[in-house]
Amino acid sequence: MLFNRRILVAIKGSVDPRPVIVRARLIAERLDAEVVLMAASRSLVSEAEAYLLQAEKELIDAGIRVQRYGRKLRDPLQELMLVAAELKCGLLIKAPDHPRGLADTLLTPRDWKLLRYAPCPVLIVKQADAWEGQRLLAAVDVAPGDDAHQSLNRQIIELASLIAQLSNSEMELVTAYPTPMQSTNRSQQSADQLHDDYLAQAQQLCQQLQVDPAAILVDEGPAETLIPAQVQARNAALVVLGTVARRGLSAALLGGNTAEAILSKLSCDVLCVQPQDGDQVLSLLRSTADPVLAPTAVITTVPAQTEDS
C-alpha cells in the first residue's frame, strides 16, 4: 500500500478532541495531507458527531482538505481498520481508550488490537503539548535475533530522526538489555558486559544509518519498565516504537507484545509502526524534510543503573 498522504482521524464522544485535532492539523499541514474524520464511539454518538463538526470546521479553516466518513458498523474499532485499508490511509490518529477494568484483564484491550491489526502506523495522542523543541525517544531492541525486528529497528530510528528534524526536536535512542541471568549468551553474564555490548550495537546501528541521536540510553530491562521510566525522566513528548505483532493464542498467553504492554504506562504520544509500515512513512518524510538539515548532536551514553536508582 502506498502512503498517499491521507490521514484517518478518530473522533470520540468521551474525550476532548483538541489534542487529536492539533496533531492532525500539524501533520496534515506539513505533509500536505487530506484528513478523513470518523466518529468512532460505540456510545455517546451525538457527542462524537458534535466534536467531529468542530474538528471539520477547524481543519477546513486552516486550509486542509477534509472528508467525513459516515459510520456503517456497530464496532468502531473494526470500522477504523476497514476504513484505513479501504481508503489506503497512511496514518491513523486517535486518543487512547479509557481502561475498562476487569474487561481489559479478561479481553484484549481495544488499543492493543489496533496496534496489532491496523494496516497503517498508529499515533496515539495522549497529551496536548507540542513536539517542537521537545525530546523524542526511539525505542528499539538492538539485539533482536531475527530479521523482522532488525528491519523494524532501522525504520524506527530513521523515522524518529526525521520527525526530530521536522519538529526541531532532540531524538534519543533507548534500549533495554536483559538481566545477566536472563541472557542466553554465557559470555554476557555481567551487567557491565551486557551494557557495553548493547551500547556498542546501538552505536554501530546508528553509524550504519548515519543518524546521530542526542543520547543513547542503555539500561537493564525489562523494556516494559525501562521505556516508561525513561519517558518520565527525559520528559519526552513522543515515543516511536514498533511491533512485530504476535497474533491469536500466542499473543494472549505471552501477555501481548512489548509495544502493547507499555502503551498504558506511557504519558506521552506514541507512534507505533509494523515492518510493512515503516518504509512507506519514511519515503514520504524524506521527501518533506529539508535536505540541508543534518544532525549535529554528539552521541552520549547513560551508564547502567540499578533498579533502585
Side-chain angles (χ1 to χ4, degrees):
M1 181 191 305
L2 295 177
F3 190 98
N4 62 351
R5 304 187 184 219
R6 182 175 291 141
I7 300 169
L8 176 60
V9 178
I11 302 295
K12 302 173 62 177
S14 59
V15 179
D16 181 357
R18 282 294 307 160
V20 170
I21 296 172
V22 168
R23 288 288 180 273
R25 174 178 173 176
L26 291 175
I27 295 173
E29 286 178 338
R30 185 65 181 181
L31 302 183
D32 188 27
E34 177 187 39
V35 171
V36 179
L37 295 172
M38 179 181 136
S41 287
R42 187 189 296 270
S43 59
L44 301 176
V45 175
S46 60
E47 289 84 350
E49 290 290 344
Y51 281 148
L52 187 148
L53 292 175
Q54 173 187 334
E56 181 181 40
K57 182 180 185 306
E58 180 169 335
L59 294 172
I60 290 176
D61 288 346
I64 295 169
R65 302 185 306 279
V66 178
Q67 65 168 294
R68 244 191 289 170
Y69 180 86
R71 288 285 308 282
K72 300 175 183 177
L73 303 180
R74 172 66 177 165
D75 184 353
L77 178 66
Q78 180 185 9
E79 191 157 23
L80 276 172
M81 292 185 287
L82 290 174
V83 172
E86 179 184 342
L87 299 183
K88 296 182 173 59
C89 296
L91 178 66
L92 194 162
I93 304 177
K94 71 180 293 289
D97 282 333
H98 291 305
R100 297 178 295 172
L102 182 61
D104 281 342
T105 302
L106 300 175
L107 304 172
T108 303
R110 290 170 296 195
D111 281 343
W112 286 26
K113 292 180 181 179
L114 191 62
L115 298 187
R116 195 176 297 175
Y117 296 111
C120 63
V122 177
L123 174 62
I124 305 292
V125 180
K126 292 196 164 194
Q127 45 88 37
D129 294 340
W131 296 347
E132 285 76 11
Q134 304 298 314
R135 286 191 179 96
L136 313 181
L137 295 187
V140 298
D141 176 3
V142 297
D146 63 82
D147 292 341
H149 278 90
Q150 289 174 359
S151 174
L152 190 59
N153 282 341
R154 292 191 291 270
Q155 293 171 356
I156 290 169
I157 293 172
E158 289 189 276
L159 181 55
S161 178
L162 282 167
I163 292 174
Q165 291 183 40
L166 293 171
S167 59
N168 296 316
S169 306
E170 286 189 346
M171 188 275 280
E172 300 180 349
L173 185 148
V174 58
T175 188
Y177 60 84
T179 61
M181 293 303 294
Q182 290 177 323
S183 175
T184 58
N185 189 337
R186 292 187 177 275
S187 67
Q188 297 178 329
Q189 289 301 311
S190 77
D192 288 342
Q193 184 62 51
L194 280 166
H195 173 272
D196 292 346
D197 288 347
Y198 271 64
L199 174 60
Q201 291 182 73
Q203 290 174 327
Q204 182 181 19
L205 182 57
C206 290
Q207 290 168 359
Q208 291 173 349
L209 298 173
Q210 298 182 328
V211 170
D212 289 330
I216 296 179
L217 312 170
V218 181
D219 207 344
E220 187 173 310
E224 293 90 333
T225 300
L226 176 63
I227 295 171
Q230 289 292 355
V231 166
Q232 183 174 6
R234 313 299 288 180
N235 194 26
L238 171 70
V239 171
V240 182
L241 44 71
T243 177
V244 179
R246 291 189 303 269
R247 305 189 179 191
L249 183 60
S250 63
L253 293 176
L254 294 171
N257 304 281
T258 299
E260 301 163 356
I262 68 173
L263 184 60
S264 62
K265 301 177 183 179
L266 295 174
S267 57
C268 66
D269 293 354
V270 180
L271 176 60
C272 186
V273 298
Q274 292 193 25
Q276 68 271 20
D277 301 331
D279 288 336
Q280 303 162 15
V281 183
L282 284 169
S283 177
L284 177 64
L285 287 180
R286 288 194 187 102
S287 70
T288 305
D290 187 341
V292 303
L293 286 175
T296 57
V298 177
I299 293 178
T300 60
T301 66
V302 172
Q305 300 175 347
T306 65
E307 291 184 359
D308 295 332
S309 62

